[in-house]
Amino acid sequence: RAFRRGLIVVLVAVLAGGLMKLRGKGGVPPTSGGWRELSGPDSVTTVLLVGAGAVGARCARQLVETPGIDRLLVCDRELERAAEVAQAMGPLAVAQEWEPEAEVPAGVDAIACALPAELDVAIARAAIEASVPWVSAGDDGEGLHAVQGLDPAARAASVPLVVGAGLAPGLADVL
């Protein structure tokens, strides 16, 4: 179970980092369709990590170690747990109070969701409204289908939504 969670975390972090490099900074599309390095004095790449449980904590570690991610905002329904995870990650991570009903914090370039899939829809909606790429580790079929229902709105806003960024079903079932 722990190994599966670790693999899910790595995949979510890689996808979040990949979205940032693919998407570029500040909603500006890549100039030539490939990877684009984010650099310069004003190119701080910030990821909002929603969920600071077992999967979220591992995802936080992977994100702070991902080149190109300069700031990690960790939020959880229990702010104290978010603060503990952020403190363990070092100076790049800070705890952030945030609820899906509120606006996405200013400066967020991507949202990584480490919650059960049934909680993903509200956060994906917030990402679409803020024009921020979103990725989730959720792998529950019903939750994934609910997020897929947001596809027309996400396409209209040019917001990538990546659902089921875990390894299930498939390799995780073998492990």
Side-chain angles (χ1 to χ4, degrees):
R1 186 168 168 94
F3 183 69
R4 177 182 178 198
R5 284 184 178 167
L7 288 174
I8 289 170
V9 166
V10 168
L11 186 56
V12 167
V14 167
L15 285 171
L19 279 174
M20 289 314 308
K21 288 191 176 232
L22 182 65
R23 168 85 185 215
K25 175 76 177 132
V28 178
T31 55
S32 62
W35 294 93
R36 186 170 107 180
E37 196 62 36
L38 302 176
S39 61
D42 63 342
S43 66
V44 174
T45 301
T46 301
V47 175
L48 174 66
L49 173 62
V50 184
V55 172
R58 288 178 179 88
C59 189
R61 171 61 61 203
Q62 187 67 36
L63 287 166
V64 297
E65 293 176 357
T66 299
I69 295 179
D70 304 306
R71 192 165 152 233
L72 179 66
L73 305 178
V74 181
C75 67
D76 192 89
R77 66 179 169 223
E78 296 176 25
L79 186 59
E80 185 176 308
R81 182 169 37 184
E84 288 172 7
V85 169
Q87 182 178 8
M89 296 305 118
L92 296 181
V94 296
Q96 173 77 41
E97 278 191 84
W98 183 73
E99 294 289 330
E101 299 79 29
E103 285 187 30
V104 172
V108 168
D109 299 300
I111 298 174
C113 192
L115 297 173
E118 64 268 11
L119 303 175
D120 283 348
V121 173
I123 298 161
R125 277 193 187 112
I128 293 168
E129 290 173 16
S131 296
V132 174
W134 174 88
V135 61
S136 172
D139 61 2
D140 171 69
E142 199 171 304
L144 295 178
H145 290 299
V147 172
Q148 286 174 335
L150 300 175
D151 184 59
R155 286 180 186 269
S158 296
V159 174
L161 297 181
V162 179
V163 296
L167 298 174
L171 185 57
D173 294 334
V174 176
L175 301 174

